Amino acid sequence: MKLLALFLLAFISGGILTAQTFDLELEYDGELREYLLHIPEAYDGSEALPLLFSLHGLTNTGQINRTTTRFHEIADTANFIVCFPTALTNGFGLTAWTNGLIVGSGEDDTGFLRHLVNVIDEEYPVDRNRLYFTGFSMGGFMSNRMACEFSEEVAAIASHSGTISENIRVDCQPTRKMPMMHIHGNSDLVVAYDGNWAGGFVSVDSLMRHWREHNDCPNSYTITELPDTVNDDRTVDLYQFSGCDEGIELLLYEVHNHNHAWMQPENDISGSAEIWKFLSRHSLDGEIVSAIEEQESENFYRLFPNPVGDHFTLQLPSQEVLKQIAIIDIYGSSILVI
């Protein structure tokens, strides 16, 4: 009997640190650094787990980033470790990553983040082939810097509403091909879609061209208009760059009529869900394809929106394909069997 299990990422409001999220600090380069570390509920120490760094935007903290992205909730289902570090302050008293922009703090953030990987690995074994970086705004800029300078350690990155500084781009010489995904609203008034040379950062098109050229992708792509499933006045176009060297994956989600904010489950796409879905396909050893993803690639089924709310649509190529459908929440509990 064929069984399709739909893991529905039902996001809930939080604020209080769960038993699996630890508020930690360490001293690095003479400074006290803070970070939140979330260990998935099912962790038993028997295997090394993927590690995701989620980096906040200007003026924010690891706690704000956790509340906004809710990656810790996905981690409990997908079984990975997620770290939400906090940057130090710049000359204006604002938390800011040293990512090549003039408003950066000037601290050794690349060294700090690499050191943090080792610290986490000592306590909770990390699959060093599956180290990922993502970030919002300045955190997105920082994720691109980590991909540029430490490509032998970083399996893949995803940035949201943050491109790359020109200072970092001109010196960006990764030693391996880099899977990369980007989400950006084309009405962003903070990090403009078309870039800001006075501000020192490139456009979304320039960012994608940079990684396209590095990954030896031909100048061709397909554009898919994603289903407009919710009434949020936004639509999403997915750009998929094909034919890249070594089969490297390169994706862009252009969100029409969207400003400088993280895409939430109540939108047509959830930024966190799409980012983890992308990152989890990649390893330093090559692309990871699960059985479900192989079925998806053959148009086995299609679920949207994902994560879902109270209602969702499941498209099947044939009613005879499945004998049973099980709906399971993020805690592993069965909601419905059809």
Side-chain angles (χ1 to χ4, degrees):
M1 178 183 295
K2 292 184 178 179
L3 170 66
L4 173 62
L6 303 178
F7 292 89
L8 307 183
L9 303 181
F11 290 86
I12 59 176
S13 60
I16 299 175
L17 297 185
T18 67
Q20 289 77 38
T21 301
F22 305 98
D23 192 349
L24 304 171
E25 59 185 28
L26 60 82
E27 184 173 331
Y28 177 78
D29 200 23
E31 298 281 358
L32 193 63
R33 305 298 301 255
E34 300 176 350
Y35 62 101
L36 299 181
L37 185 66
H38 184 82
I39 307 302
E41 289 184 342
Y43 175 79
D44 60 9
S46 63
E47 62 177 325
L49 298 184
L51 172 59
L52 170 66
F53 279 89
S54 183
L55 308 180
H56 63 75
L58 181 68
T59 78
N60 290 166
T61 64
Q63 176 61 74
I64 292 174
N65 185 257
R66 175 183 182 272
T67 301
T68 301
T69 65
R70 302 177 187 177
F71 275 120
H72 58 292
E73 296 175 8
I74 299 178
D76 283 337
T77 296
N79 203 32
F80 63 93
I81 299 169
V82 57
C83 182
F84 304 94
T86 296
L88 294 176
T89 56
N90 60 17
F92 301 99
L94 308 175
T95 51
W97 299 106
T98 304
N99 53 18
L101 298 176
I102 193 172
V103 293
S105 68
E107 301 290 343
D108 180 18
D109 285 327
T110 56
F112 164 62
L113 294 172
R114 296 178 76 202
H115 176 65
L116 197 47
V117 174
N118 294 326
V119 169
I120 296 170
D121 195 13
E122 289 177 1
E123 185 71 20
Y124 305 97
V126 171
D127 183 348
R128 301 300 281 259
N129 285 320
R130 301 188 66 192
L131 173 62
Y132 309 112
F133 282 87
T134 188
F136 174 71
S137 194
M138 282 198 80
F141 285 94
M142 190 68 197
S143 297
N144 276 281
R145 179 175 186 179
M146 296 301 291
C148 287
E149 299 180 9
F150 305 107
S151 61
E152 291 298 325
E153 304 169 28
V154 179
I157 67 162
S159 54
H160 193 314
S161 307
T163 59
I164 190 171
S165 74
E166 180 62 11
N167 290 336
I168 297 298
R169 189 199 65 79
V170 295
D171 294 325
C172 181
Q173 297 181 332
T175 56
R176 57 175 285 272
K177 306 303 181 184
M178 180 60 61
M180 185 268 185
M181 167 185 158
H182 186 68
I183 301 174
H184 212 114
N186 61 15
S187 296
D188 195 326
L189 300 179
V190 178
V191 179
Y193 197 91
D194 293 331
N196 185 324
W197 291 108
F201 61 87
V202 306
S203 67
V204 172
D205 289 344
S206 294
L207 171 71
M208 301 310 295
R209 181 170 63 251
H210 169 82
W211 288 114
R212 177 177 59 78
E213 292 175 351
H214 171 71
N215 291 327
D216 293 326
C217 308
N219 188 20
S220 61
Y221 50 83
T222 59
I223 305 177
T224 303
E225 184 177 341
L226 301 187
D228 187 11
T229 57
V230 296
N231 186 24
D232 63 355
D233 297 322
R234 299 170 178 84
T235 58
V236 183
D237 287 340
L238 170 61
Y239 293 71
Q240 296 174 286
F241 296 80
S242 58
C244 303
D245 195 23
E246 301 176 16
I248 290 296
E249 193 175 16
L250 188 61
L251 303 180
L252 166 64
Y253 290 81
E254 179 183 3
V255 187
H256 297 275
N257 301 319
H258 185 62
N259 203 333
H260 196 66
W262 191 268
M263 292 290 288
Q264 296 292 340
E266 56 266 25
N267 298 128
D268 289 322
I269 64 168
S270 161
S272 300
E274 294 300 326
I275 285 171
W276 177 248
K277 185 166 66 175
F278 170 81
L279 295 176
S280 64
R281 290 197 290 265
H282 301 285
S283 157
L284 292 180
D285 292 333
E287 186 175 16
I288 300 169
V289 180
S290 70
I292 292 294
E293 286 165 344
E294 287 177 343
Q295 292 167 338
E296 281 184 319
S297 68
E298 298 170 1
N299 296 318
F300 183 72
Y301 74 90
R302 188 163 177 271
L303 173 71
F304 59 86
N306 187 17
V308 303
D310 294 333
H311 304 280
F312 66 90
T313 299
L314 177 64
Q315 293 181 344
L316 299 174
S318 168
Q319 293 182 348
E320 300 300 321
V321 171
L322 298 174
K323 299 298 183 182
Q324 190 176 62
I325 298 174
I327 300 177
I328 301 169
D329 69 13
I330 62 173
Y331 303 106
S333 301
S334 178
I335 298 175
L336 179 67
V337 177
I338 303 172

